[in-house]
Amino acid sequence: MEKIVIVGAGVAGVNAATKLVDNGYPGELITIIDMGKDPYNRKPSEVMEGFLGAGGWSDGKLTYHTAIGGQMSKYCGEDKAMELFDQVITNFKRFHPKPEEVQCSDPQSEPDFIKPYFGLRLFPVWHVGTDYLHEIGKNWYDYLVSKGVKFEWEAKVTSIDFKNNIGTVIVPQSDLTHTFEYDRLMFAVGKSGIDFGKQLADDYNFPTEPKPVQIGVRFEAPQKHFQKLIDISYDFKLYRKFDNGVSLRSFCTNNNAAYVAVEETYGDHSYNGHAKKGEKHRNNMTNFGILMEIPGIEEPFKWSRDLVKKVQKDATGLYYSPSRRPSSTSEGDTVSAVSINAQQMDEVREAFQGYYSYIDDFIEDMKKVFPTLAHDWGVYIPEVKYLSPEPLVDYKNLALAQFDNVHFVGDALSARGITVSGAQGTYVAEYILERFCTVENGSYICEWDNIHGDVVNW
Ligand SMILES: Cc1cc2nc3c(=O)[nH]c(=O)nc-3n(C[C@H](O)[C@H](O)[C@H](O)COP(=O)(O)OP(=O)(O)OC[C@H]3O[C@@H](n4cnc5c(N)ncnc54)[C@H](O)[C@@H]3O)c2cc1C
């Protein structure tokens, strides 16, 4: 058996470890290193780091379609992808304190009132809820610890020597560094580790797959304006595509108790959103990203980063509204953003190099479809999905071309959501299991199954 190190205790890493120990892989041989905290000590403001990663403090919307949330079916085909999604959703229910409250919305047809302005992408979504995610995190963590999985918290991996299977960790609180060795490594650092992934890709000159730019704003308005669409599809995805390949979609809709969240990447601020469950958090707001996908930009990663830098003021992002002020976070603070006026919006339009007109048009058309909206909305600028160049991996196990014992998973590879990230982690775990096990009638028969009763020093 192999010593497995998982860098990142996010959705991908945690699902991978779960799949392994569920099937008897010795937990003592699995170490998960994360720069955040365990679920008991992680604060609500630590949005991106710690047990279950960004997924653990998100809105808990588990999308259930291969066209949503990043790439899975390109590696393993549609049927296998859906089977992996099922495993991830089952895990979230399994550690849920009230699994019966996990519900699925599954809109079936596009309503006439959005035509001819928008299309609506229809797909099922399982709703877990932010509040329950914290409890799920604790139950899930306890399970992995009970299986012997070792965790290193508040420890940041700063370099990995893929040739010699050695990584270096810094513990920022003490400023001490140490190294770790591995036989197999899962690189599951999510968005918060995107710069680290890029640094490794540059250092090792990984072959990569090209990516489009994905950028836009986080739109926020009172929920009542969108209610008739929310009744049909909670996480609605309004969609449009132009002949030049540019497409726009509403993205990650939050309702009822909907809060805008600041994301910090590369030291700049951008925006996202999450929703809480429970009446005490209700603010009757809706927020969603209006995201543009722009193909054909040379150096899309650099282009996005430059744009994000241009729309920062006083070390944070911007807010524009014809009538409103920025809202409060779920902790009661004002969402960090500098409010700008209509004239200053021209600077934003300049930074977007002409592409902002697509967002202006999107909002104008929403005002037609939802007539009460009028001026009762605001945008937090920017929302960005940094699609860093995706390292080229072996599709059968997501291992790097040059290093077949190093697997990239989750947002660090090509995922953009919880279900796909978890599925990628599970997919790699299945590959590892199949190295030591045979599959009979859907169950793993493994070499460790014969070891009973004895104390085994792994
Ligand atoms: C506010 C918000 C709301 C969201 N809502 C949804 C939603 O409702 N539905 C959905 O499908 N998706 C949502 N997402 C996206 C989703 O959370 C991510 O796609 C998913 O969590 C990615 O999983 P991952 O395991 O790849 O990375 P993550 O879950 O981000 O985990 C990565 C982990 O790696 C750790 N890490 C990073 N770098 C290092 C390092 N150098 N050393 C050690 N540890 C490191 C981090 O601390 C983190 O814990 C949301 C994201 C945000 C930010």
Side-chain angles (χ1 to χ4, degrees):
M1 266 158 286
E2 300 172 319
K3 182 173 190 295
I4 298 171
V5 172
I6 302 176
V7 184
V11 188
V14 164
N15 274 280
T18 304
K19 180 77 193 183
L20 289 168
V21 296
D22 276 351
N23 290 285
Y25 199 94
E28 294 78 1
L29 284 179
I30 304 171
T31 302
I32 305 185
I33 304 173
D34 198 288
M35 61 188 184
K37 300 192 183 111
D38 69 66
Y40 290 95
N41 289 305
R42 185 176 171 183
K43 296 194 184 75
S45 54
E46 292 161 3
V47 176
M48 308 287 286
E49 300 167 14
F51 190 81
L52 273 184
W57 257 223
S58 76
D59 184 32
K61 290 188 294 288
L62 308 185
T63 54
Y64 190 57
H65 195 289
T66 50
I68 309 287
Q71 314 258 12
M72 190 69 236
S73 53
K74 90 168 176 190
Y75 305 117
C76 62
E78 289 283 315
D79 291 349
K80 180 66 190 172
M82 294 308 288
E83 190 236 291
L84 290 163
F85 292 170
D86 283 332
Q87 295 193 43
V88 176
I89 291 163
T90 301
N91 275 339
F92 275 91
K93 289 186 191 164
R94 170 180 166 194
F95 296 107
H96 198 296
K98 293 184 184 166
E100 67 283 1
E101 289 195 11
V102 181
Q103 281 164 12
C104 185
S105 70
D106 189 7
Q108 295 298 325
S109 64
E110 286 185 344
D112 285 337
F113 66 84
I114 64 164
K115 300 171 189 167
Y117 298 104
F118 298 101
L120 184 67
R121 281 208 162 150
L122 300 166
F123 58 94
V125 182
W126 291 90
H127 302 268
V128 176
T130 307
D131 313 16
Y132 285 131
L133 277 167
H134 302 184
E135 293 310 309
I136 290 170
K138 290 174 194 165
N139 294 340
W140 205 331
Y141 175 58
D142 290 347
Y143 170 72
L144 292 176
V145 170
S146 77
K147 288 284 178 183
V149 176
K150 290 180 268 180
F151 286 88
E152 233 189 281
W153 296 114
E154 297 183 70
K156 183 170 183 172
V157 178
T158 52
S159 69
I160 303 172
D161 176 350
F162 293 130
K163 290 185 180 134
N164 295 301
N165 299 349
I166 296 173
T168 306
V169 172
I170 182 160
V171 181
Q173 288 195 333
S174 59
D175 234 8
L176 292 175
T177 58
H178 63 270
T179 56
F180 62 88
E181 290 179 16
Y182 61 87
D183 299 316
R184 190 164 294 280
L185 184 108
M186 246 181 259
F187 192 75
V189 295
K191 251 193 186 176
S192 51
I194 203 167
D195 43 354
F196 183 35
K198 176 141 190 344
Q199 176 207 316
L200 291 171
D202 290 345
D203 291 351
Y204 284 90
N205 208 5
F206 293 155
T208 55
E209 299 198 23
K211 284 297 171 77
V213 163
Q214 287 201 359
I215 201 154
V217 297
R218 175 106 334 214
F219 183 92
E220 184 186 50
Q223 176 171 338
K224 59 186 179 192
H225 304 307
F226 291 91
Q227 194 60 49
K228 66 179 174 179
L229 184 56
I230 293 166
D231 289 342
I232 296 166
S233 172
Y234 174 92
D235 182 13
F236 56 81
K237 293 223 180 320
L238 296 169
Y239 182 76
R240 50 176 44 174
K241 186 162 185 174
F242 297 89
D243 290 344
N244 61 1
V246 174
S247 62
L248 281 88
R249 67 189 195 281
S250 62
F251 171 83
C252 177
T253 304
N254 301 288
N255 304 310
N256 302 325
Y259 296 92
V260 172
V262 174
E263 275 184 1
E264 187 169 338
T265 318
Y266 305 117
D268 292 326
H269 281 184
S270 57
Y271 298 94
N272 206 318
H274 65 125
K276 292 231 163 197
K277 278 205 170 172
E279 279 306 303
K280 70 174 189 272
H281 294 293
R282 178 179 280 275
N283 59 2
N284 294 316
M285 297 296 283
T286 285
N287 69 59
F288 50 85
I290 301 178
L291 269 192
M292 286 184 285
E293 183 162 305
I294 312 172
I297 300 252
E298 223 172 285
E299 295 194 78
F301 186 65
K302 181 174 178 304
W303 193 90
S304 305
R305 281 195 65 180
D306 290 348
L307 196 166
V308 169
K309 269 201 186 320
K310 285 185 198 152
V311 291
Q312 306 282 306
K313 261 193 193 350
D314 300 342
T316 191
L318 308 176
Y319 177 78
Y320 170 72
S321 167
S323 69
R324 302 182 59 88
R325 291 172 182 283
S327 296
S328 301
T329 64
S330 50
E331 286 75 56
D333 306 320
T334 306
V335 176
S336 172
V338 173
S339 292
I340 57 170
N341 59 31
Q343 269 172 343
Q344 290 168 301
M345 273 303 288
D346 287 340
E347 292 166 31
V348 171
R349 292 190 177 91
E350 205 172 302
F352 273 75
Q353 300 181 29
Y355 288 104
Y356 201 89
S357 63
Y358 289 100
I359 296 175
D360 282 332
D361 291 347
F362 198 94
I363 295 173
E364 282 308 308
D365 286 344
M366 285 200 301
K367 283 157 64 177
K368 292 177 196 149
V369 172
F370 308 100
T372 57
L373 183 60
H375 293 318
D376 197 13
W377 54 271
V379 284
Y380 299 82
I381 309 163
E383 172 147 347
V384 63
K385 304 295 157 212
Y386 279 118
L387 303 186
S388 60
E390 178 187 327
L392 195 60
V393 291
D394 184 340
Y395 283 11
K396 76 172 183 299
N397 57 15
L398 312 187
L400 293 176
Q402 302 107 308
F403 305 103
D404 62 7
N405 62 339
V406 177
H407 307 263
F408 271 53
V409 287
D411 280 11
L413 180 65
S414 60
R416 299 288 158 253
I418 297 171
T419 329
V420 176
S421 296
Q424 291 186 356
T426 308
Y427 185 56
V428 173
E430 287 188 354
Y431 166 79
I432 297 171
L433 287 169
E434 280 159 24
R435 291 167 53 80
F436 303 102
C437 314
T438 52
V439 185
E440 280 178 30
N441 299 326
S443 302
Y444 291 98
I445 311 294
C446 308
E447 52 186 62
W448 47 79
D449 290 340
N450 295 326
I451 304 169
H452 289 299
D454 300 334
V455 176
V456 183
N457 292 316
W458 299 109

